[in-house]
């Protein structure tokens, strides 16, 4: 396979400021900062966003999602999202990552219209709510008409590699009007293949590694998740080497994987 063009960009999905700083050091173009990564990402705290904006020199996008679950938001939840957008815009973030659907799995153009107005010039990525729409090609046109800058998608599959067919059709149909950014399961091992199969130029990955917590005494009889199984004494942090390897793979540099 030939070298991928050098204008490709990597966005790192960072579940903490710590991970965002690792992503920056490793050479990422942009960070998407989020909390609640096992739920697909929720809005991080004001303090974390404020410090991220202060400490990051690269582009910073923040997910605006008040809860996990589906993307059908009540009027109250929409108002919360608008307040969060107001807050992050005041902090000077470069963009937001957001998506609202109707009960029939169409793009909620009314809710998204309010969001676009609140974003007030910030870059807007329509996130993987797109992977839940019933008519992806129709949704593409609606999202373009709203003025969003990109769509984050796995091609309506669990992993972007499996969704390359739809992603490629979206890239072709978009015809440069909006960025189509593959995400979910993107790694240094498969990123160049996804690029070749889809024609995409931006890619979204987390590059995480499990690390052990620092607690010496551990009460293994109690779970903060109650009946939900949560690993209490481990966490996931972006791995510098994984991001570097993904960037190298996109540039056509031979990468040795363990």
């Amino acid at each position: 396979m030939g070298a991928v063009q050098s204008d490709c960009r990597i966005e790192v999905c960072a579940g903490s400021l710590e991970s965002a700083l690792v992503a920056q050091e490793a050479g990422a173009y942009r960070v998407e900062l989020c909390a609640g990564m096992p739920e697909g990402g929720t809005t991080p705290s004001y303090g974390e966003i404020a410090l991220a904006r202060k400490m990051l020199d690269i582009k910073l996008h923040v997910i605006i999602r008040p809860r996990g679950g589906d993307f059908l938001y009540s009027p109250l939840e929409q108002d919360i999202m608008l307040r969060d957008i107001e807050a992050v815009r005041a902090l000077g973030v470069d963009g937001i990552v957001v998506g609202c659907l109707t009960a029939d799995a169409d793009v909620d153009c009314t809710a998204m219209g309010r969001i676009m107005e609140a974003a007030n010039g910030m870059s807007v990525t329509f996130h993987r709510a797109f992977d839940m729409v019933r008519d992806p090609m129709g949704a593409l046109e609606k999202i373009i008409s709203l003025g969003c800058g990109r769509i984050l998608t796995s091609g309506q599959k669990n992993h972007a590699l499996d969704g390359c067919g739809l992603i490629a059709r979206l890239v072709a149909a978009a015809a440069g009007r909006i960025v189509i950014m593959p995400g979910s399961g993107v790694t240094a091992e498969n990123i160049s293949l996804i690029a070749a199969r889809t024609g995409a130029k931006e890619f979204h990955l987390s590059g995480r590694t499990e690390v052990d917590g620092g607690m010496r005494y551990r009460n293994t009889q109690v779970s903060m998740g109650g009946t939900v199984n949560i690993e209490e004494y481990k966490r996931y942090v972006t791995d510098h080497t994984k991001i570097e390897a993904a960037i190298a793979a996109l540039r056509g540099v031979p990468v040795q994987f363990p």
Side-chain angles (χ1 to χ4, degrees):
M1 184 182 302
V4 179
Q5 295 182 22
S6 60
D7 59 349
C8 291
R9 295 170 172 174
I10 284 183
E11 173 184 275
V12 172
C13 180
S16 65
L17 176 53
E18 177 185 5
S19 285
L21 292 170
V22 171
Q24 174 171 264
E25 184 182 356
Y29 175 77
R30 181 175 58 241
V31 161
E32 181 206 336
L33 187 64
C34 65
M37 289 182 72
E39 296 180 279
T42 54
T43 306
S45 75
Y46 180 90
E48 189 149 43
I49 299 167
L51 278 178
R53 180 65 293 172
K54 180 179 179 180
M55 300 178 73
L56 291 175
D57 298 318
I58 61 175
K59 299 286 187 181
L60 172 63
H61 287 189
V62 174
I63 191 168
I64 303 296
R65 188 176 177 219
R67 57 165 172 79
D70 63 32
F71 304 100
L72 176 64
Y73 297 114
S74 69
L76 178 60
E77 289 172 327
Q78 292 178 37
D79 286 343
I80 292 169
M81 295 165 79
L82 293 174
R83 290 296 184 93
D84 283 337
I85 293 169
E86 180 182 333
V88 301
R89 182 161 53 82
L91 288 171
V93 305
D94 299 290
I96 59 171
V97 183
V98 66
C100 300
L101 303 182
T102 68
D104 293 317
D106 292 317
V107 175
D108 188 336
C109 290
T110 301
M112 285 300 301
R114 296 176 69 201
I115 284 171
M116 296 303 295
E117 183 177 355
N120 193 28
M122 287 191 296
S123 177
V124 178
T125 298
F126 196 97
H127 60 41
R128 288 189 64 220
F130 182 86
D131 290 323
M132 299 301 188
V133 300
R134 60 187 177 88
D135 175 15
M137 304 311 288
L140 169 67
E141 296 302 326
K142 290 179 180 178
I143 294 167
I144 290 172
S145 70
L146 285 163
C148 295
R150 67 186 48 77
I151 295 172
L152 170 62
T153 178
S154 61
Q156 299 201 326
K157 302 292 185 181
N158 282 335
H159 298 106
L161 186 60
D162 297 323
C164 279
L166 175 57
I167 296 171
R169 293 196 298 275
L170 291 166
V171 170
R177 295 175 295 161
I178 192 171
V179 173
I180 305 299
M181 180 170 62
S184 184
V186 176
T187 66
E189 290 87 344
N190 64 27
I191 193 168
S192 60
L193 180 58
I194 293 171
R197 287 183 176 178
T198 64
K201 299 295 184 184
E202 295 191 11
F203 303 87
H204 173 96
L205 67 153
S206 62
R208 293 178 295 169
T209 293
E210 183 183 84
V211 297
D212 193 56
M215 294 293 294
R216 288 188 294 272
Y217 173 77
R218 303 184 178 194
N219 184 356
T220 58
Q221 303 304 308
V222 177
S223 170
M224 293 296 105
T227 58
V228 179
N229 184 24
I230 295 175
E231 178 55 70
E232 306 289 346
Y233 298 107
K234 295 185 185 298
R235 57 196 179 91
Y236 290 89
V237 179
T238 295
D239 187 321
H240 188 287
T241 59
K242 290 184 178 182
I243 303 305
E244 277 195 330
I247 293 170
L250 271 182
R251 292 175 178 167
V253 177
V255 178
Q256 298 242 338
F257 302 110

